[in-house]
Structure formats: structure tokens, C-alpha cells
Amino acid sequence: MDPPQLSRHKDDADLQVMMAGSTFRKVKSHSWKKPRHFRLLEDGLNIWYKSRWAGRGHSTFLVSDVEAVRQGHQSEVLQSIADEFPPNLCFTLEFRGRQGNLDLVAETPEEAGAWVRGMRKLIHKAKNMDEKERLDQWVWDWFLKADKNKDGRMNFKEVRKLLKMMNVDMNEDHAFYLFTMADTSMSSSLEIDEFVMFYKMLTQRDEVWKLFQDYSSDGEMLSRGELENILRIEQQEGDGCVEHAQELIDRYEPSEMARSQGSMSLDGFQLYLCSQEGSIFNTSHKDLYQDMSQPLSHYFLSSSHNTYLLEDQLRGQSSLEAYIQALKRGCRCVEIDCWDGPDDEPVVYHGHTLTSKILFRDVIATISEYAFKASDYPLILSLENHCGVEQQRVMAQHLELILGSLLLRAPLGGEAPQQLPSPQDLKGKILLKTKKIGCETLTDEVSDEDETVNPDPDSPSTDQGSAECPPDPSKKKAKLKMSRELSDLVVYCKSVHFRGFQHAQAHYKCDEMSSLSESKARKLAKEAGADFVQHNIRQLSRIYPSGLRTVSSNYNPQELWNVGCQIVALNFQTAGLEMDLNDGLFHQNAGCGYVLKPGFMRDSELPFDPETPQEHSGYAPLRLSIQILSGQQLPKVNQKEGSIIDPLVRVEVYGVPQDLAKEETSHIQNNGFNPVWNETLNFIVHNPGLALVRFVVEDHDKASRNDFVGQFTLPFTSIRPGYRHIHLLSKDGTSIPPASLFVNVSTSELTSGPD
């Protein structure tokens, strides 16, 4: 039996080259280039590599961890050696999440071409496998891991080790019983087909079997009508259940005979429940389902802070790759900190620190290439301008020459706007956000975010006033030093100092926006939430992390979304709760980086204060009930062979202050493979339109802090009721198949006041 991943490609010439192996130069810098031997393993899943001098030591990585292959000098590292190696020898493997690239140089163009084509085929295959193929591949992978002597069979000793590897501590007698049942050849060992049978017995899901039995009249099959009943009653899918039931049978039932009879077996039912159609996330919300024709100020934007950094903001590396990663994740507002550089070329880095420097022109070239790969909707460049006039002119030249027609240079229609244009109106356009000569007379410091030079993140800027924008008499002003050429490129995102909600309303211009530090913004949200919401109906607000966050940690963005702030900038390079919330909010709407704010945050006639949601005219709280049934194939935290996790599930709700809540299950001892909780957690959600729900799995430790296992975050409004699987993500926000939770979700209106 061929490995599933290779079954359709075993005669492919490129894959044959990969399986035979190749020696490449692995390149980390202009001076670090070392030979490594790479080959595709027989499973079609893993790439194995080692140093020719490293003895028996080697490493592997999964093909599914590679997101894309770039050919030629398509990375900073390979560009640095472009004069040494021609582009037809060079290629880059680009990994998911925050893992760095792998830059390689082949010995011949033919070998480089074979690996580039072969990797792209394998990546395409991995992305397009159906549920059964994914499961077959996963089972085959475990078989190869357990078959230590590589004889195509697995004895009971190997099975016992396998169970530890699979994160389950099973009674040895029971394990031997399942082994004997699967050993139909009575050879005291399992071949791959017998191992599949062993796996099916091992993964028998009593909770799924019970649901199946509740609706199956004969206990063997679900008729189409019985499946319709499940979809209507349990999954609460409403209209269209008849057609949907037949579609599910056609798509997931493995038996051709059952499909022809319009029936579904337990295997097919389980495949459906584990598929994306059985996911807790509303599949229709993965498409572009929101109205994109409203003013920009009516949307939340996925926004990055210090986008150029891969690490911390004191000594971290500045990199073009950081922009590529953010843009590919759907980010729609990136930050560029510009300083005067040598040879009249502006540089980008975190000023007055030891972070490395990159050329402004290279940043703009990278943005030009990647701006619209993940989303067609407008991209905002938040320019932190610390340059003198001469290099500002150079910046303006680079923006115009490199971005060309992508750069918006004048208002749509050529007239001063009465309200901001929509994402639809600005599709495919790049907007510049910085100071502009006009409303505010500027000082030597033309940046509106003083975090790099001032330890106090709430220190006022030194903007000088004009007739329309009164000056602050307590501040001594310096003379304007700003390039007219750069100023002229600012259209709808003119940075102005924030002088209060009253002043902003009295001097309202829709194309003016302010940047506020997190502490200033949080203070305003607490003291004047309703005013903040109203302000953000009309104008854009950008929030940035405190300059004191030297390790590039993040603040909780939910507090600022609660008052309608559109551009809540986070350090994308730092994993954790805050980025989970950001990813969860922007996972919807085709991941385009724009999410339409709830209606009550777009209507100036209906005041809303997140501190008192019950006073809003549209107040309609809901009860959320989540029965945590079971977990499947949870990843290990400690990779030692005998280590097995003790998993628990915590459900967290984020939203308006009254909605902040956490509830968790008990922990299951020594079972990360198929733990069963069957515990129900209940919540009252006062403002469903703003709420996010986060599911977290942890490894319980009574002596120290629990270890993170996986999580999944989604908007409350994207939750589907019924029996659903939650497909867990790693700390980096990447998928970790087939790890999942099985839950039963219900929501209901409150018949009486909240408890």
C-alpha cells in the first residue's frame, strides 16, 4: 500500500528527484552558507535533512508546514548573495506562522527546478485533501513512526510505544485485546491495513455513536430523512436541510452502495462532523459576506505596529519578511518608522535602539509586491516620519515610482470629501497616513507617535495650531520642517493631534485622524466611552502599544474595539491571547482584513456605551451553553516518549466589560488522545455583536503553571449551534490537524433578567 500523499504521484519525476535526495547550500547570511543533504521521505509528508559532518544527527519538517515556495532571489538573504549565485539555483521555503524561511542554493538549475515544482505539487495536494485523505495520511504517518525496524509490520511492543507517542495511556490488557482483534492474519504483527482497523477501534467515538443511534432506526445507517432530522433538530440549520443532507451523503459517505441508496454510515457521519462543514465556525462567514460599501470609519481593520520587526523593539531584527508575513495574514495597516540614512537613502528601524536597519525603498518594493495577495481592499501605510526634508523628498519619490498607480494621490472624484470613501471604492489602493501641511502647522518632529524617543507614552505631541486648529499655549513651538512632496501624497489619512472629543466634533473633517497610545485610549474608553463611539463613527482612530513594551508584548485589543476604534495596532510577531483575539475577529469576511462594525456602532442617533450595554435601545442579551464533550488527538507538550498530557478546556468570553468571563472543565488524567469531559459551561452574553469566544486547551499541572496545548477563537456571531468540532490552532495561530474538540453548542434568549 503506497503512502496516500504519494499514491497519485509515485511516478512523478520531480518527486523521484526529491526522494533520491539533494545536497543544497543552506544560507543564513552573506557569510553563512553550509551544505545540507535534503530528501523527501517515503510518506510524502516529511522532508529529512542533515549536515554531511553531523554524524547520525538529522532534522525533519512537515511539507504541510511550508506555505509557499519562492524561486530565485526572493528573500533578503538570497538577495544578499545575488552576485555569487544565479537566480535559477536559488529558492526559498516559506513556513507558516512565525517560523523563519529556509533559503537554499542548489548545485544545478535542474535540481532546483525539480524541488520547486515538487514542493509546490505536494503543498497543493496537502491543501486540497478531503477529510478521508487527511485521516488516511495521518494514520499512515503514525504507522511509519511506530514501525521502528521499517519492516512494514508493527509488533505489540511497537504498538505500546505508539500509544505513548499518540498521547494516550491505555490499559495494557485492553491495548493487547485491540491488537489481537486487528491481527486478522494472526501473525502477531499488524500490516498497514490491519493497523487501520486497530486505529478505528482505538478511535471509536461513543459520543458520536450515541448521537447516531438516537436518529438511526436500524442502528446501522442513517437514511437521508434521518440525517435531515439531525440537521434540523440538532444542528439547527433550518431551511435547505433536504438538499444539504444529500450533499453530505455524496461528499462524506465512503461506501458507494450507501451513497447510491441515499444513506450514511457511522464512518460517513463521523467524517462529516470532523469536516469544516461540521466546524463550530459558520462556513458562510469564511466568504466575503459583509457590506463593503460603507465609509472606512465603519470598519475594524487588521493593523500592525512596528511591522518591520521580527522580534523585540530594543535589539530585534528589522526585516522585509515581517512585512510579507503581516500582509499575507490580511493586515490592512502596516507601520513604517523612517529615519535619515546614509547615501541620502532613508532607513526603517526602531529609532534610538539597537534594532537592525533596512532601506525604505526595499520596504516599499516589498509592500508593492505583497499588498494585495491576501486582500483586495485598501492598505494604509502608517508613516512614522523622523526624516529631514531632503530625505522626505526621497521617500516621496520612492512611493510614487515604486507604487505607481497603486498609490492614491488625490481624493476620489477630485473633491474634498464629506465622508470617508468605502473599502469597495478604494479597492486595490494604498493610502499614506502621516502629517500633512494644512490644518496643523508642524514642528521638527513630524511623527505623531513619539514612543521611540519619549519614555512617557502619553506625552502630548508638539503640534502647532492654526486658525482652524487652535494652538496649545503651554507648548513652545518649533519651525515647520516637512517636505511638500510627501505631504501632497496624504489624502484620506491626515494625522492630527487629538485635543478631545469636543474639539474634534467642532472642527470635524472626515479625512483627519489621530493616533493614541494604549493608556490614553483606555482612559478615554473608561471615562467617555459613548463619546469615543460617536467620534469613531465619523473619523478613524489608530491605537498603538506603549513605548515601554520593550519586549514587543501586546495590550488587549478588545477594550478599544468596544469603543469603535478601527486601527488597533498590535505586534504581529508576538504570539499570545491578544493576537488570538485579532486573528479570531479577522478570520471572518474572507480574511480580507476589514470587519464591519455592529450596527449600533455606526448609528449616530443611537448612543452606545460599552460600560452600560443594558441602557442601549437594542439590548438583547443571550444565554450561551457549551457542552464540552470530548477531545481528539491533542498534541503533546513534552515530546519525551513517556510524557502524556492531562488536558482541561477553558472557555473565555471577551467583549464589553460585563461579558468578560471564564469557565473551565476538570482535567482528564493521562489522555490527550481521546479525553471525554461531558461537562457544560454556561455564559450570559450582554452584547453578542462585540463578543469573541476563545476555547483553550491546557495541560494541567498542580505544581506549576499549566502548559498551552491549543486554542481557537471566533466571533460570537460566527458560532454555529449543534454538535460541532473545534479545530485547534497552535500558539502561532497555525492549524495542528487533526487536534480538535467536540462540543454541543446552544444559544437562547433570556426569558428573565440575567442571573
Side-chain angles (χ1 to χ4, degrees):
M1 179 177 174
D2 289 318
Q5 183 77 350
L6 290 181
S7 60
R8 297 180 191 174
H9 298 301
K10 59 184 178 180
D11 297 324
D12 186 284
D14 295 326
L15 298 186
Q16 291 298 318
V17 171
M18 294 176 69
M19 293 175 70
S22 302
T23 298
F24 301 131
R25 285 182 177 89
K26 180 181 176 182
V27 186
K28 287 188 176 180
S29 68
H30 191 273
S31 58
W32 198 104
K33 302 182 282 285
K34 297 186 178 180
R36 296 287 186 267
H37 189 71
F38 290 80
R39 67 181 174 89
L40 174 67
L41 296 183
E42 289 76 10
D43 61 4
L45 276 179
N46 289 276
I47 305 291
W48 174 99
Y49 68 99
K50 65 174 289 186
S51 164
R52 61 175 63 164
W53 298 290
R56 299 179 65 184
H58 67 274
S59 300
T60 61
F61 59 85
L62 286 166
V63 169
S64 58
D65 287 341
V66 182
E67 187 168 27
V69 185
R70 304 183 208 157
Q71 193 165 18
H73 302 141
Q74 296 297 313
S75 73
E76 287 173 281
V77 169
L78 292 179
Q79 286 170 10
S80 73
I81 60 167
D83 57 345
E84 190 175 352
F85 300 102
N88 60 1
L89 296 182
C90 302
F91 64 99
T92 299
L93 301 185
E94 181 183 319
F95 288 86
R96 299 181 187 282
R98 293 171 177 83
Q99 184 177 344
N101 294 339
L102 184 57
D103 292 299
L104 301 171
V105 179
E107 294 180 347
T108 67
E110 292 74 23
E111 205 162 30
W115 274 79
V116 168
R117 292 188 300 270
M119 282 298 300
R120 286 174 175 168
K121 291 170 194 172
L122 291 174
I123 292 167
H124 177 78
K125 172 65 178 171
K127 285 180 179 177
N128 291 280
M129 282 195 291
D130 62 29
E131 297 306 316
K132 186 176 185 307
E133 287 175 316
R134 290 182 194 280
L135 187 60
D136 288 346
Q137 187 68 68
W138 192 78
V139 173
W140 179 273
D141 190 35
W142 278 116
F143 183 82
L144 291 179
K145 286 178 182 177
D147 183 20
K148 296 296 185 185
N149 59 8
K150 305 302 177 189
D151 64 352
R153 295 175 174 274
M154 192 165 53
N155 60 35
F156 185 63
K157 183 179 179 181
E158 290 174 316
V159 166
R160 284 191 306 176
K161 288 187 176 180
L162 167 69
L163 294 179
K164 294 284 188 183
M165 292 163 65
M166 294 177 97
N167 217 351
V168 60
D169 187 13
M170 182 177 286
N171 175 279
E172 189 166 321
D173 290 340
H174 184 59
F176 186 70
Y177 169 75
L178 294 181
F179 179 90
T180 305
M181 292 285 289
D183 182 19
T184 55
S185 63
M186 293 184 288
S187 61
S188 298
S189 63
L190 303 181
E191 297 182 5
I192 180 61
D193 293 333
E194 294 171 322
F195 177 67
V196 170
M197 187 186 304
F198 171 78
Y199 173 79
K200 282 190 175 182
M201 290 188 288
L202 188 67
T203 56
Q204 184 171 314
R205 301 271 301 276
D206 290 343
E207 68 278 19
V208 175
W209 180 84
K210 182 180 183 304
L211 175 61
F212 186 89
Q213 291 294 310
D214 285 346
Y215 284 86
S216 172
S217 56
D218 63 4
E220 297 291 329
M221 303 292 288
L222 287 172
S223 67
R224 188 176 68 180
E226 289 164 346
L227 181 56
E228 288 170 23
N229 289 337
I230 293 178
L231 296 177
R232 188 180 67 257
I233 298 168
E234 302 292 350
Q235 309 297 69
Q236 300 179 38
E237 294 197 3
D239 296 336
C241 287
V242 175
E243 295 81 4
H244 194 205
Q246 187 59 53
E247 289 170 1
L248 294 179
I249 291 169
D250 294 339
R251 195 169 297 138
Y252 298 109
E253 175 50 49
S255 165
E256 188 175 339
M257 180 176 291
R259 287 200 305 273
S260 67
Q261 296 172 349
S263 300
M264 179 175 274
S265 65
L266 180 59
D267 284 346
F269 186 58
Q270 191 159 309
L271 282 172
Y272 148 62
L273 287 175
C274 291
S275 74
Q276 288 302 315
E277 290 187 89
S279 164
I280 192 172
F281 191 92
N282 188 333
T283 49
S284 67
H285 286 194
K286 289 190 175 183
D287 300 327
L288 191 72
Y289 74 100
Q290 294 184 334
D291 177 9
M292 302 303 289
S293 63
Q294 301 202 26
L296 277 181
S297 56
H298 288 186
Y299 298 83
F300 297 122
L301 282 68
S302 180
S303 308
S304 167
H305 172 252
N306 287 351
T307 313
Y308 47 88
L309 288 179
L310 287 173
E311 301 164 43
D312 68 82
Q313 54 188 3
L314 287 183
R315 299 173 180 271
Q317 179 186 357
S318 301
S319 172
L320 302 176
E321 293 297 332
Y323 284 97
I324 294 171
Q325 290 179 17
L327 291 169
K328 289 182 73 173
R329 291 174 71 173
C331 182
R332 293 293 85 193
C333 180
V334 298
E335 184 177 28
I336 311 174
D337 284 10
C338 305
W339 299 79
D340 284 338
D343 303 320
D344 293 326
E345 284 292 346
V347 293
V348 175
Y349 80 113
H350 202 242
H352 307 292
T353 69
L354 298 177
T355 58
S356 60
K357 300 173 182 177
I358 50 180
L359 290 174
F360 176 79
R361 70 181 182 206
D362 290 344
V363 170
I364 300 305
T366 299
I367 288 171
S368 177
E369 182 176 356
Y370 287 90
F372 301 108
K373 285 190 181 294
S375 171
D376 294 331
Y377 291 100
L379 173 67
I380 297 173
L381 307 186
S382 181
L383 199 64
E384 287 305 313
N385 177 14
H386 304 273
C387 292
V389 173
E390 289 305 315
Q391 293 205 18
Q392 288 181 46
R393 292 194 181 107
V394 175
M395 288 163 56
Q397 290 170 7
H398 288 327
L399 286 164
E400 292 191 279
L401 289 174
I402 297 171
L403 297 181
S405 62
L406 297 178
L407 181 66
L408 187 76
R409 307 181 199 205
L412 301 180
E415 297 181 2
Q418 300 304 307
Q419 69 171 19
L420 286 168
S422 71
Q424 185 66 37
D425 295 332
L426 295 169
K427 219 171 180 182
K429 290 296 180 183
I430 295 176
L431 283 62
L432 188 64
K433 170 204 163 290
T434 192
K435 300 284 189 181
K436 186 175 179 70
I437 299 171
C439 174
E440 293 192 339
T441 306
L442 306 173
T443 69
D444 288 333
E445 177 57 74
V446 291
S447 165
D448 63 337
E449 186 177 315
D450 209 18
E451 57 170 308
T452 55
V453 294
N454 195 326
D456 177 9
D458 287 330
S459 176
S461 75
T462 52
D463 300 333
Q464 185 176 337
S466 67
E468 296 168 329
C469 302
D472 181 347
S474 68
K475 298 295 176 184
K476 185 177 180 180
K477 302 305 172 186
K479 188 178 177 182
L480 165 68
K481 287 188 179 179
M482 187 171 183
S483 151
R484 170 66 67 178
E485 292 87 344
L486 188 62
S487 171
D488 286 348
L489 298 181
V490 182
V491 182
Y492 292 116
C493 301
K494 306 172 186 176
S495 294
V496 298
H497 178 55
F498 181 74
R499 295 191 174 91
F501 296 122
Q502 231 178 346
H503 182 275
Q505 187 170 4
H507 299 84
Y508 165 68
K509 290 183 179 177
C510 68
D511 56 358
E512 294 182 348
M513 61 180 291
S514 300
S515 287
L516 301 168
S517 73
E518 59 171 283
S519 49
K520 175 73 171 176
R522 291 170 69 183
K523 187 169 184 286
L524 289 169
K526 189 76 174 172
E527 295 175 355
D531 291 336
F532 216 159
V533 172
Q534 289 294 308
H535 175 82
N536 287 324
I537 292 174
R538 303 183 300 269
Q539 292 172 269
L540 293 171
S541 295
R542 179 178 180 270
I543 316 302
Y544 60 90
S546 163
L548 301 179
R549 292 184 179 273
T550 55
V551 294
S552 294
S553 60
N554 280 313
Y555 56 95
N556 188 328
Q558 185 70 53
E559 296 179 65
L560 289 316
W561 292 330
N562 285 344
V563 288
C565 294
Q566 302 88 349
I567 302 176
V568 182
L570 298 178
N571 292 301
F572 269 45
Q573 73 272 30
T574 306
L577 162 66
E578 298 81 11
M579 276 307 298
D580 291 345
L581 295 177
N582 195 79
D583 291 345
L585 176 66
F586 292 104
H587 182 56
Q588 62 182 313
N589 208 32
C592 75
Y594 283 80
V595 168
L596 187 64
K597 292 194 281 189
F600 55 83
M601 304 192 90
R602 296 181 271 123
D603 188 344
S604 58
E605 302 299 319
L606 295 174
F608 170 75
D609 189 336
E611 294 288 332
T612 55
Q614 66 278 6
E615 294 180 8
H616 185 256
S617 61
Y619 179 62
L622 295 174
R623 189 184 302 276
L624 172 65
S625 179
I626 303 172
Q627 185 182 15
I628 309 293
L629 294 165
S630 61
Q632 294 75 44
Q633 293 89 49
L634 304 177
K636 296 175 72 165
V637 173
N638 187 330
Q639 293 304 315
K640 291 180 181 176
E641 193 166 286
S643 171
I644 296 172
I645 66 170
D646 305 327
L648 63 83
V649 180
R650 186 171 60 254
V651 178
E652 305 169 347
V653 178
Y654 296 87
V656 297
Q658 287 186 35
D659 283 341
L660 298 179
K662 298 179 181 180
E663 298 287 341
E664 67 182 39
T665 67
S666 57
H667 67 274
I668 304 296
Q669 197 77 22
N670 286 338
N671 189 351
F673 185 73
N674 55 0
V676 175
W677 289 277
N678 199 21
E679 297 181 32
T680 301
L681 310 178
N682 292 300
F683 302 88
I684 302 298
V685 182
H686 296 269
N687 193 301
L690 283 171
L692 293 169
V693 181
R694 182 173 185 249
F695 295 84
V696 189
V697 181
E698 291 183 345
D699 179 15
H700 173 74
D701 193 325
K702 60 184 177 183
S704 62
R705 187 176 180 179
N706 293 347
D707 288 316
F708 174 90
V709 174
Q711 69 84 30
F712 187 75
T713 306
L714 76 165
F716 179 92
T717 52
S718 294
I719 290 177
R720 285 195 296 187
Y723 287 91
R724 303 293 177 185
H725 276 90
I726 297 167
H727 300 279
L728 296 175
L729 304 176
S730 70
K731 192 169 289 187
D732 276 342
T734 56
S735 60
I736 43 177
S740 65
L741 298 175
F742 188 47
V743 300
N744 186 11
V745 181
S746 65
T747 59
S748 59
E749 297 179 2
L750 293 184
T751 53
S752 58
D755 297 337

